[in-house]
């Protein structure tokens, strides 16, 4: 499928620790055109294996238009700097080139997964019309973060790795920690509050958006939070990364 001339469409692919998800995005509305398509993240999640999976997702859509792909770690000028939740072989790899090579050399825009979700929530989701500093935190295998100021992304914030009370934030309060420890919502939310307080003391956002799969159950835990900044649940939920990747392929929010 190629992009119809009259409208802006991109394919966005969100690479996470457990799934590689893609969708064609209408950039005027932020809506997916047709179904989301998901494949399991290969294990071990090496650059070669993940890139081959990304290529399968592109082939599923038969897409030859603009393409944005996320990576769940720090990306500087296309090069991977961290790999907290994927195979360490990624470190130092040029993700832009690696994804592109698996796709026969076509251009690809690569950005951090939480940064993509932050762009999408700001433009089409829970942060629409919000001025000032918006922080998005995603709670999943790890904790991802994005900072958007008046619509422009400050890339590669890594609040999930802030030290909070002697422990890394994501080791304290990722959604995976709640599952592993079989914590109640109340118990886990205590840890999330500590992380939000550390973030708000460092950057004083106007709004915090909480995302990741666990935001679907926001009514169970967001009301229990005790930090000072207003907190809202992500609106796009499992499409935010896809939509943000598609936006980035058009250069939106990236400068
Ligand atoms: C990584 C972030 C990523 C987050 C969510 C963290 O461990 O360092 O870059 O956004 O996990 O995938």
């Amino acid at each position: 499928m190629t992009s119809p001339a009259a409208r802006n469409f991109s394919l966005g692919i969100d690479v996470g620790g457990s799934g590689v998800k893609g969708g064609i995005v209408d950039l005027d509305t932020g809506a997916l055109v047709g179904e989301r398509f998901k494949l399991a993240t290969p294990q071990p999640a090496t650059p070669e294996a993940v890139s081959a999976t990304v290529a399968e997702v592109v082939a599923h859509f038969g897409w030859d238009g603009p393409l944005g792909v996320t990576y769940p770690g720090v990306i500087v000028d296309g090069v991977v700097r961290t790999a907290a939740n994927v195979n360490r072989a990624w470190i130092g790899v040029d993700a832009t080139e690696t994804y592109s090579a698996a796709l026969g050399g076509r251009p690809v825009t690569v950005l951090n997964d939480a940064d993509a979700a932050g762009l999408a929530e700001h433009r089409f989701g829970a942060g629409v019309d919000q001025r000032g500093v918006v922080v998005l935190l995603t709670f999943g295998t790890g904790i991802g973060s994005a900072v958007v100021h008046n619509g422009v992304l400050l890339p590669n914030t890594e609040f999930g790795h802030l030290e909070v009370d002697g422990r890394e934030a994501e080791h304290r309060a990722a959604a995976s920690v709640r599952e592993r420890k079989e914590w109640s919502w109340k118990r886990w939310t205590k840890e999330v509050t500590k992380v939000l307080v550390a973030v708000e003391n460092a950057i004083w956002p106007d709004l915090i958006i909480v995302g990741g799969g666990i935001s679907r159950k926001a009514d169970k835990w967001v009301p229990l939070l005790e930090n000072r900044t207003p907190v809202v649940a992500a609106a796009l939920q499992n499409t935010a990364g896809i939509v943000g990747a598609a936006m980035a392929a058009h250069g939106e929010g990236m400068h």
Side-chain angles (χ1 to χ4, degrees):
M1 182 179 177
T2 45
S3 36
R7 297 183 78 172
N8 285 331
F9 292 87
S10 275
L11 176 60
I13 300 183
D14 191 19
V15 174
S18 62
V20 177
K21 295 153 265 177
I24 294 169
V25 179
D26 179 339
L27 293 165
D28 294 326
T29 63
L32 293 202
V33 181
E35 296 283 296
R36 197 176 75 123
F37 179 66
K38 177 174 175 177
L39 294 174
T41 303
Q43 300 300 336
T46 58
E48 297 69 29
V50 172
S51 303
T53 305
V54 166
E56 271 185 69
V57 174
V58 174
H60 168 85
F61 289 103
W63 180 254
D64 62 7
L67 173 63
V69 183
T70 74
Y71 168 82
V74 172
I75 294 276
V76 180
D77 292 334
V79 177
V80 171
R81 296 294 181 200
T82 69
N85 297 307
V86 283
N87 193 275
R88 292 189 61 78
W90 273 102
I91 293 177
V93 164
D94 188 323
T96 308
E97 274 178 12
T98 305
Y99 287 147
S100 179
L103 291 162
R106 57 188 287 192
V108 180
T109 303
V110 182
L111 77 167
N112 173 264
D113 57 347
D115 282 347
L119 280 179
E121 286 292 337
H122 192 278
R123 175 80 203 284
F124 299 113
V128 169
D129 293 333
Q130 177 72 41
R131 301 290 297 167
V133 175
V134 177
V135 168
L136 169 110
L137 294 173
T138 61
F139 294 84
T141 314
I143 296 179
S145 62
V147 175
V148 183
H149 180 229
N150 294 342
V152 176
L153 175 72
L154 171 68
N156 289 318
T157 55
E158 285 283 323
F159 296 154
H161 300 287
L162 278 181
E163 191 177 307
V164 178
D165 256 357
R167 281 189 41 220
E168 254 182 88
E170 74 175 21
H171 294 162
R172 190 174 272 294
S176 58
V177 174
R178 177 178 172 270
E179 276 163 34
R180 196 172 61 247
K181 302 205 173 183
E182 299 181 354
W183 275 345
S184 66
W185 289 107
K186 193 168 165 216
R187 176 68 192 84
W188 177 69
T189 306
K190 262 180 75 171
E191 302 301 323
V192 178
T193 292
K194 286 185 195 166
V195 171
L196 297 196
V197 169
V199 168
E200 64 194 4
N201 285 347
I203 195 165
W204 286 78
D206 296 288
L207 178 71
I208 296 177
I209 302 173
V210 288
I214 206 157
S215 62
R216 255 172 276 154
K217 303 208 170 124
D219 56 319
K220 298 208 188 312
W221 60 277
V222 171
L224 307 177
L225 288 167
E226 291 178 347
N227 65 301
R228 68 171 177 266
T229 311
V231 177
V232 293
L236 303 175
Q237 297 178 347
N238 62 9
T239 64
I242 294 172
V243 173
M247 287 170 65
H250 274 241
E252 289 192 39
M254 298 289 281
H255 42 76

